[in-house]
Amino acid sequence: MWCTSCALAVEGALKRLDGVRDVSVHYPSATLCISGTPAATQLSVIASKVKRLGYRLSELEPVIDAHARLEEESRYLTLRLMVGSLFGMWTMLASILIYAGALPSEQVELVVAWVSGAFSFPVVLFAGLPFYRAGWRTLLAKRPGMDVLISLGVIGAVFVSVGLLWRGSTEVYFDTAVMLIVLLLVGRLMETLCRHRGLKALDALALPDTNVSVFQNDTWRSLPVREVSAGMRTELAPGELVALDGILEGAGWIDTASFTGESLPRHFNAGQKIYAGCRYLGASPLVMQVSAGVGQRRLDRLCDEMRRYQAKKGELQKLADRFAAWLSPLALLLAFLTLPGALLFGLGWEDAFVRALSVLVVACPCAVGLAVPLASLAGSGQAMQQGIALRDPAALETLARIRSVAFDKTGTLTTGMHSVLHWQARDGVDEHMLQRKLSAAVAGSEHPLAQALARWSANQHGQLTEQCLEVSETPGEGRRVQLSNGEWLMVGSASWFTRQQIALPSKAEDTALAFASQVMVADDKGWLATLYLTDQPVGDAAKSVMRLVDAEYLVAMISGDRQGAVSWLGERVGLAREACYAQRSPEAKARLLQALPSPTLYVGDGLNDTLSLAAADVGIAPLSASEAAREGASAQLMTPGIGGVVILLGIAKRTRRIMVQNLFFSALYNTLALGLVVLMAIPPLVAVLAMAASSLSVTLNAARLAWAEPESEPDGKA
């Protein structure tokens, strides 16, 4: 397939098969998703139907093969555009000289007319080939669209021009054919390059094909990850990205944020299962037994499910497509009726063919084709000025109709870093003393909570006055350090303190702060202090959520974190408790998102959010998002916080108003022009100029969006 028309043609043909319930073809990944009875969805039945259209079915291709195919198609279009521009330039120059009467004699004009035709033939025969092929296939699928009109307009212009040249006339229309092809090739190439970015999200989900350390024949060997199968034992180095699913044979710290969205690493014990894409944070090597090799890992299943979500979403059915759906058959009917009608009214064959050609040229919905993309580009330019990068300008139309907005928690609504929310200490201990002791107790620790305490204690006490002589640490529970002055300090969880037989007074724990991460501190005298740490919301979270709620969007937070932390954050940013969903896996996030009123918008930053970004109608990645989230999103915020989401929704609504206006102007033009060209003689050149004028009006109207001041707040649902 070379364009979305191909995808629509395949969809249209397969939807007419008996027993087929639903069909969707995703152009960027060339994926067909079909559901129906077993008899209707047999590969042999589907393949034969698709083959009759000129396409073929194959196995689901790897992402790397899809990239190669799409790059080849981009080069295919680029080459044709270069040929069309190079040869078409000389055709247009020759036509201008003839129309302007700048040539000295009729004989010279005739020679220049032949030159114009000669230069147009590479454009018509080579550059325009994709349109003829797509037009024929859409006709076979009974879904004629713009490609059919373009093909007939080009072929008609060439045949009429050749006939006129043969009779010695210089009123040729090769420039009409060239202009149609080059203008539409530019649009198709932009559309193709824009839609190719969908595959990059799948790229970001793929783990690198590295070697892993495997125990074989009583020794550790390095093997390619694809050669490792279930049952083998592998060794994880400190800081290494886990390449395979497996069961741990020892205990260690694992960063599971890629799947759970938890802001803190978790301590796993022997016998627990971990997944590819997590990261081992321990200090010494750890052995695990592989439970799933490449292709069977949870990450691979996520990638497959993401492909299914993409295919089921299908392409956006723009207002322009709906207008062109009835315009194309109407124009064809009028053109075929114009030819015998003109003959009946006494016109000659030449004039009758020119009249019919003018109908086809006038009907070519260039303005309709430009109406939505130009407004989208203007809107995306305005969004960029506001610090929002739109990877797909076509997403603006959907953004204008959003009904539900869902946010991830960690790294999206929060900063992604813990900080001290509250602290309480025994009598006589002030903040300065506590910070001084803490800075020594947590020095050198790699635990995220210890690093957060180090940042807090450094606010007023940046330099250590004591050195650690001895450090004893229990992973995941606590640490004990001896300072150079002989003092002992302990930092850890309440359960660890109990096992160390340290008495905790009643005021050591505050049940009202149970949602926060709790850290106990003790010295030689016993319990010293308790600190409560949380991942704080970004600065504009509450204000942005309030604006969205006031604009009557359904706003929710969907997280893999604990219920207490999610509920606390929801209260801080102004979300009702029932709108906060905790402890959701990536798959559960996507299912929940699809249950919300559509169209849906999802804002997420991590690998665990890529499935939801694909399942949503539009996905947005915040500034600190991972590469996987950025590639899977339609837009990325280039400034901290989530205020850009509110701004983008406001821009989208104004952009959609411009789109509707453009479609109205272009539809009015096509309707009036078709009526005039049937009633009176309009040369094809005038028809082309009229078509250009309608396109210019659409362009100027879209430019108003770029010149206007941006709307920073959405004004309710469209």
Side-chain angles (χ1 to χ4, degrees), residues 67 190-204 376-377 380-381 383-384 388-396 399 613 618-621 626-638 648:
H67 273 299
M190 290 178 60
E191 178 188 23
T192 302
L193 292 175
C194 181
R195 297 190 184 281
H196 287 181
R197 63 105 193 148
L199 277 180
K200 294 184 179 179
L202 299 175
D203 257 348
S376 295
L377 289 175
S380 63
M384 180 60 74
I388 307 160
L390 266 171
R391 298 170 59 84
D392 183 4
L396 279 170
L399 279 166
L613 290 168
V618 179
I620 297 179
S626 65
E627 181 183 358
R630 288 197 301 271
E631 296 295 354
S634 299
Q636 183 182 357
L637 306 182
M638 308 303 291
L648 183 58

Side-chain angles (χ1 to χ4, degrees), residues 418-437:
H418 277 65
S419 58
V420 175
L421 175 68
H422 176 72
W423 63 274
Q424 54 197 48
R426 71 181 179 219
D427 296 338
V429 177
D430 59 17
E431 183 175 353
H432 179 76
M433 178 188 297
L434 179 60
Q435 288 180 328
R436 179 179 62 81
K437 288 180 177 289

Side-chain angles (χ1 to χ4, degrees), residues 158-456:
V158 170
F159 272 99
V160 170
S161 298
V162 170
L164 290 172
L165 274 177
W166 191 260
R167 296 182 56 184
S169 173
T170 60
E171 294 184 7
V172 291
Y173 309 107
F174 295 115
D175 53 337
T176 302
V178 167
M179 185 182 293
L180 285 174
I181 291 174
V182 172
L183 285 177
L184 272 298
L185 272 176
V186 171
R188 286 293 167 85
L189 180 60
M190 290 178 60
E191 178 188 23
T192 302
L193 292 175
C194 181
R195 297 190 184 281
H196 287 181
R197 63 105 193 148
L199 277 180
K200 294 184 179 179
L202 299 175
D203 257 348
L205 282 177
L207 295 177
D209 287 334
T210 56
N211 285 9
V212 294
S213 182
V214 180
F215 190 75
Q216 273 189 334
N217 301 325
D218 298 327
T219 185
W220 290 100
R221 302 175 55 194
S222 179
L223 289 179
V225 66
R226 292 187 176 275
E227 296 181 12
V228 181
S229 58
M232 293 184 174
R233 299 173 68 221
T234 64
E235 187 178 56
L236 301 176
E240 181 181 359
L241 188 69
V242 181
L244 299 161
D245 294 355
I247 299 173
L248 296 178
E249 294 186 2
W253 282 98
I254 305 293
D255 181 2
T256 63
S258 58
F259 283 105
T260 65
E262 291 180 279
S263 53
L264 293 175
R266 292 170 53 194
H267 187 262
F268 281 67
N269 297 315
Q272 287 188 275
K273 189 172 185 178
I274 62 173
Y275 299 102
C278 297
R279 189 175 295 277
Y280 173 53
L281 301 179
S284 58
L286 182 63
V287 177
M288 78 170 192
Q289 184 175 3
V290 176
S291 61
V294 175
Q296 303 297 321
R297 301 169 297 185
R298 186 183 182 190
L299 196 63
D300 297 321
R301 296 196 300 272
L302 281 177
C303 189
D304 290 340
E305 192 166 348
M306 186 173 177
R307 275 188 163 182
R308 287 195 292 272
Y309 276 126
Q310 285 183 332
K312 287 180 180 178
K313 274 199 323 182
E315 301 295 337
L316 292 176
Q317 187 64 35
K318 295 188 178 74
L319 294 174
D321 294 330
R322 293 195 288 270
F323 178 69
W326 65 263
L327 175 64
S328 299
L330 176 62
L332 289 173
L333 178 62
L334 286 177
F336 284 121
L337 291 178
T338 300
L339 181 61
L343 294 173
L344 287 176
F345 279 95
L347 295 179
W349 281 99
E350 178 183 321
D351 292 336
F353 272 114
V354 170
R355 184 78 65 88
L357 175 62
S358 297
V359 172
L360 286 176
V361 171
V362 164
C364 282
C366 291
V368 178
L370 291 172
V372 172
L374 281 178
S376 295
L377 289 175
S380 63
Q382 193 178 54
M384 180 60 74
Q385 294 176 6
Q386 298 297 311
I388 307 160
L390 266 171
R391 298 170 59 84
D392 183 4
L396 279 170
E397 183 189 351
T398 306
L399 279 166
R401 298 182 290 109
I402 290 296
R403 296 176 60 196
S404 304
V405 181
F407 292 94
D408 174 46
K409 171 186 171 286
T410 306
T412 301
L413 284 177
T414 69
T415 61
M417 298 176 63
H418 277 65
S419 58
V420 175
L421 175 68
H422 176 72
W423 63 274
Q424 54 197 48
R426 71 181 179 219
D427 296 338
V429 177
D430 59 17
E431 183 175 353
H432 179 76
M433 178 188 297
L434 179 60
Q435 288 180 328
R436 179 179 62 81
K437 288 180 177 289
L438 266 179
S439 63
V442 300
S445 176
E446 296 182 355
H447 194 286
L449 288 182
Q451 293 177 352
L453 293 175
R455 290 192 298 271
W456 180 72

